[in-house]
Amino acid sequence: ANDEPRYTGPMWRTPAELGWLGMAVPERFGGSEASLTDIATLFEALGSGPLPGPFFSSGVLAPLILRELATEDQQAQYLPRLASGDIVATLALGEPDWSWGPKAVQLRAEASPGGYSLNGAKLFVYDAAVADHLIVAVRSGDTDEAISLVVVPADADGVSVRRLSGFDTSECAVTFNDVHVPSEALLGGPDLEGAAWPPLHRALMRATPILCAYAVGGAQAVYEMSVEYSRERKQFGQPIGRFQHVQNHIVQLINHVD
């Protein structure tokens, strides 16, 4: 089970009150339904911190997935609480035998009384250690694209979350051991059983530029720190920014940011 603390403090509540967590949520569900450009502008600023937390996972990717796949009732169940910061949700897509595309999803949803049974693992799941709900991609058929999405409580019996080691990472490994998922947890209902990959891909394509904007903010901050350091740090009686080799590094930073 997951023993990590949930996001409930000022670092989470204040952004929720400012509306940051509801920018990708429709107004009828308590959000502002901002444009992707406006969301990206915010995330570029967040990346310059960088401000840690499941802002992208729960504030952007999860709402966009729910908008693409969830029924109206499912959206009403989750989107208002995502916008208010009362719950945190994240996508569990990757697996230990990593590749990209629907064929990479091998975790199977086996039929069981009243729903499905999950056995297997997901890898590189962002923010799973602080999530309340996992949006899990599962295989529900024999064709390459027979993928479904189910919502699993992170504290459900049989769910184990382990944070991966690394510098400033929120990535986790998630193990499912005879985890029972009720049929109503299937996003989109029976109509999207085995047909979730195209709408999931649309949501990923809409979310990816926002994550890139977050990275741009971080890259811009690194560039500014490097320029300032090159002016202040002295070697051989002059600022190191006067040395051509250091200038070459600064130019490379500019090119990467651009």
Side-chain angles (χ1 to χ4, degrees), residues 15-209:
E17 293 168 359
L18 292 172
W20 293 358
L21 304 181
M23 293 183 73
V25 174
E27 291 183 11
R28 70 182 188 278
F29 294 123
S32 60
E33 200 167 0
S35 70
L36 295 180
T37 301
D38 287 344
I39 300 172
T41 300
L42 168 65
F43 271 77
E44 183 175 346
L46 294 180
S48 67
L51 184 63
F55 293 98
F56 175 77
S57 298
S58 193
V60 176
L61 183 55
L64 291 179
I65 290 173
L66 291 167
R67 288 172 59 181
E68 287 283 353
L69 286 110
T71 65
E72 189 76 8
D73 288 344
Q74 289 170 335
Q75 291 188 54
Q77 180 181 358
Y78 295 112
L79 287 178
R81 293 189 292 160
L82 288 173
S84 65
D86 291 336
I87 62 171
V88 171
T90 190
L91 173 66
L93 176 62
E95 300 191 6
D97 294 329
W98 176 254
S99 62
W100 177 248
K103 285 197 277 189
V105 178
Q106 296 299 318
L107 175 62
R108 220 169 241 288
E110 301 288 354
S112 66
Y116 311 91
S117 179
L118 305 186
N119 283 282
K122 292 291 183 180
L123 196 59
F124 306 121
V125 182
Y126 282 98
D127 304 309
V130 295
D132 299 288
H133 298 280
L134 305 171
I135 302 173
V136 186
V138 296
R139 178 157 296 281
S140 52
D142 296 326
T143 63
D144 287 347
E145 291 202 1
I147 304 303
S148 301
L149 291 184
V150 292
V151 180
V152 181
D155 60 356
D157 291 341
V159 176
S160 177
V161 178
R162 176 177 60 86
R163 187 188 294 273
L164 300 176
S165 61
F167 175 73
D168 193 27
T169 180
S170 68
E171 294 175 316
C172 300
V174 183
T175 304
F176 301 87
N177 184 18
D178 289 329
V179 177
H180 176 70
V181 180
S183 56
E184 56 266 25
L186 176 67
L187 283 186
D191 290 343
L192 282 182
E193 185 167 16
W197 183 259
L200 172 61
H201 187 261
R202 287 196 299 270
L204 290 171
M205 292 302 98
R206 287 165 62 82
T208 297

